Amino acid sequence: MKRRTAFNLLALLPVSGMGFLARAHEADVQRIEIDEDEWFDRLSYLQYSILVMGEAEESGSSPLLEEERAGVYRCIGCDLELFRSEWKYDSGTGWPSFWDAIPGHLDELPSGFGLFNPVEYRCARCGGHHGYLLSDGPQPTGKRYCNNGAVLVFKPDQA
Ligand SMILES: [Zn+2]
C-alpha cells in the first residue's frame, strides 16, 4: 500500500517542479495520468509489477532478447516510442539493453545507491518504471539502458 501511495504522489507532481529530474521533457510529450484500477485492468501481473511497482523481470526471460529486426520499442503503458533497434545490443545481462534512448521520452531519477550508482528511469508520458541507466555501455554514448522487456512493445519498421 505504501508503494502505491508513493507512486501516485510521484505521478501527480508537476514535472516542472521536480528538481531531481535530470532531464526536461520535450514539448511533444504530454504527461498522462492513469489510475491504479486502470493500470490493473490494462496490464498483466508481471507488467504491473514492473511498470507500477518498480520490480524487475527475471533475467533472460524476455523474448525481445532475440529480436533483431529494425524497428522501434514502445512503452507498453502508453505506446510512447522509447528506443530504436539500432541502439539495442547484447549486454550479457539477460535484459534488453540499449546505448541510447529517444530524447525527452524518459525521465531519469537518480536512485543514489550501489557501486555503479544506477539511475532509475521512467516513461516521460505515463510515468511507468522501465529500468535502470548505467554508465558501462558501448560507445558512442557509454550508456546502458537496462530495460525490462515485459514492458516494451516492439513495432517493426515494415510489418
Ligand atoms: Zn509510458
Side-chain angles (χ1 to χ4, degrees), residues 97-153:
S97 300
F98 304 85
W99 52 260
D100 207 355
I102 294 174
H105 288 198
L106 292 170
D107 286 333
E108 299 171 10
L109 297 85
S111 52
F113 67 85
L115 185 61
F116 302 105
N117 194 27
V119 172
E120 179 188 1
Y121 59 87
R122 290 170 174 266
C123 172
R125 184 150 69 190
C126 72
H129 170 83
H130 273 265
Y132 288 90
L133 172 60
L134 297 101
S135 54
D136 60 359
Q139 293 303 316
T141 64
K143 293 179 177 182
R144 170 163 61 100
Y145 289 88
C146 187
N147 213 98
N148 289 281
V151 291
L152 290 175
V153 177

Side-chain angles (χ1 to χ4, degrees), residues 44-77:
S44 72
Y45 179 77
L46 176 63
Q47 292 160 352
Y48 183 90
S49 71
I50 297 166
L51 211 68
V52 181
M53 306 294 284
E55 293 173 8
E57 70 193 14
E58 189 179 341
S59 173
S61 65
S62 175
L64 292 180
L65 290 166
E66 310 297 325
E67 181 58 66
E68 292 180 343
R69 288 173 291 173
V72 67
Y73 293 82
R74 296 169 177 264
C75 173
I76 204 163

Side-chain angles (χ1 to χ4, degrees), residues 26-93:
E26 291 199 342
D28 64 335
V29 177
Q30 290 288 317
R31 187 58 179 265
I32 59 171
E33 300 300 336
I34 301 174
D35 68 32
E36 292 287 331
D37 290 341
E38 196 177 343
W39 276 132
F40 210 78
D41 289 342
R42 278 192 193 192
L43 305 173
S44 72
Y45 179 77
L46 176 63
Q47 292 160 352
Y48 183 90
S49 71
I50 297 166
L51 211 68
V52 181
M53 306 294 284
E55 293 173 8
E57 70 193 14
E58 189 179 341
S59 173
S61 65
S62 175
L64 292 180
L65 290 166
E66 310 297 325
E67 181 58 66
E68 292 180 343
R69 288 173 291 173
V72 67
Y73 293 82
R74 296 169 177 264
C75 173
I76 204 163
C78 70
D79 209 35
L80 184 66
E81 296 185 355
L82 301 179
F83 303 104
R84 286 285 318 169
S85 55
E86 300 93 283
W87 308 327
K88 186 169 178 282
Y89 73 103
D90 181 3
S91 65
T93 61

